[in-house]
Amino acid sequence: MIIAIDGPAGTGKSTIAKMLAEKLNITFLNSGGFYRTLTMAVLDAGVDYKDEKATLEFCKKQKIEYTKEGHFILNGTDVTAHLHDDRITANTSQVSAIVEIRHLVNDLMREITKSLSIVCEGRDMTTVVFPNAEVKVYLDASAEVRAQRRFDQGVSDMTFEEIKAAIEKRDEMDKNKKEGSLKIAKDALYIDTSNLTIDNVCAIIEKQIS
Ligand code: DC
């Protein structure tokens, strides 16, 4: 079974997908983490991602492993704890906009999850990567609410206003990608999470599964 969840940053996708995967005892797939891991590799190596060809060639040589616990191993090192650093968050949309890099990541994710039951989340899980998913959900919330959630997580050094502006910039980039742009799939259940708790959202999705 594939449960696919898409939506913009700060809608609770990862927390919800992880909780559902634990409850159902199936694999959690965090697609943004693959793009974040590649972005870290690109930045650390000083590769200029505006040079798409060079970036793709570099990314092809990186070894990414994804553990059962949802950790990302880049060339043998567990990088999970640093994937939400501001410098990675600020540059991942640009790296993930490179079409060939999307194909690389999509192939890797499909390979890792083939013959597994999964709960996956991202921007194009319901539309591009797993269009035949049995359950499709689109999570949404206002930019104000999403920025407040990120601010409350305390993982960023930015002010609330800076976080809100960064979220709006990422929304814009994520919705305008050549491929894999953020869209609401026709057959997805749309949930506005602005006034819902994580448990409320999980309960709505669980109802959809049963
Ligand atoms: O979900 P996240 O915030 O960890 O995603 C990080 C970035 O990766 C985000 O800017 C959009 C991009 N992304 C994407 O393009 N496609 C996905 N399926 C998941 C994430």
Side-chain angles (χ1 to χ4, degrees):
M1 175 170 61
I2 298 179
I3 301 166
I5 305 176
D6 283 325
T11 46
K13 294 185 305 291
S14 328
T15 311
I16 288 159
K18 206 185 238 172
M19 270 175 78
L20 284 171
E22 269 168 26
K23 280 191 187 181
L24 300 166
N25 199 20
I26 61 179
T27 300
F28 161 57
L29 183 77
N30 164 16
S31 64
F34 288 85
Y35 293 110
R36 287 176 181 272
T37 301
L38 283 178
T39 301
M40 178 185 277
V42 164
L43 295 179
D44 286 351
V47 175
D48 175 9
Y49 56 65
K50 286 188 200 85
D51 183 343
E52 297 194 0
K53 215 168 154 214
T55 307
L56 176 66
E57 285 317 307
F58 172 80
C59 287
K60 276 186 186 166
K61 292 186 200 127
Q62 306 310 302
K63 184 167 184 254
I64 300 182
E65 292 161 273
Y66 186 66
T67 73
K68 268 199 205 113
E69 297 73 32
H71 283 221
F72 286 89
I73 316 293
L74 172 64
N75 301 321
T77 302
D78 189 337
V79 294
T80 319
H82 297 289
L83 293 182
H84 285 82
D85 290 356
D86 288 338
R87 72 183 185 109
I88 309 290
T89 302
N91 289 287
T92 306
S93 271
Q94 293 86 326
V95 173
S96 69
I98 302 172
V99 170
E100 291 299 329
I101 289 193
R102 301 198 70 80
H103 296 169
L104 195 73
V105 168
N106 291 348
D107 288 348
L108 181 59
M109 291 192 299
R110 290 191 187 112
E111 177 62 28
I112 289 173
T113 60
K114 72 172 180 224
S115 69
L116 287 178
S117 278
I118 61 168
V119 186
C120 56
E121 57 87 12
R123 303 294 185 288
D124 59 347
M125 298 293 102
T126 59
T127 52
V128 175
V129 187
F130 298 110
N132 298 323
E134 285 85 346
V135 178
K136 295 186 185 184
V137 178
Y138 187 97
L139 298 184
D140 212 351
S142 68
E144 189 85 10
V145 166
R146 292 185 284 128
Q148 190 64 52
R149 288 175 182 162
R150 276 282 185 269
F151 183 72
D152 293 344
Q153 279 172 355
V155 293
S156 170
D157 293 330
M158 298 192 283
T159 63
F160 168 78
E161 285 306 329
E162 285 168 342
I163 293 178
K164 185 164 171 257
I167 277 188
E168 284 169 340
K169 187 174 165 207
R170 281 173 66 198
D171 284 356
E172 194 59 26
M173 285 192 278
D174 288 342
K175 286 181 178 161
N176 289 297
K177 289 195 175 110
K178 266 190 240 151
E179 240 182 78
S181 61
L182 178 61
K183 294 190 194 95
I184 308 174
K186 273 199 215 95
D187 47 354
L189 171 70
Y190 178 91
I191 307 175
D192 184 342
T193 69
S194 299
N195 298 308
L196 299 175
T197 64
I198 293 287
D199 286 335
N200 292 154
V201 179
C202 273
I204 297 171
I205 301 176
E206 278 180 281
K207 224 166 153 191
Q208 192 77 4
I209 298 167
S210 54

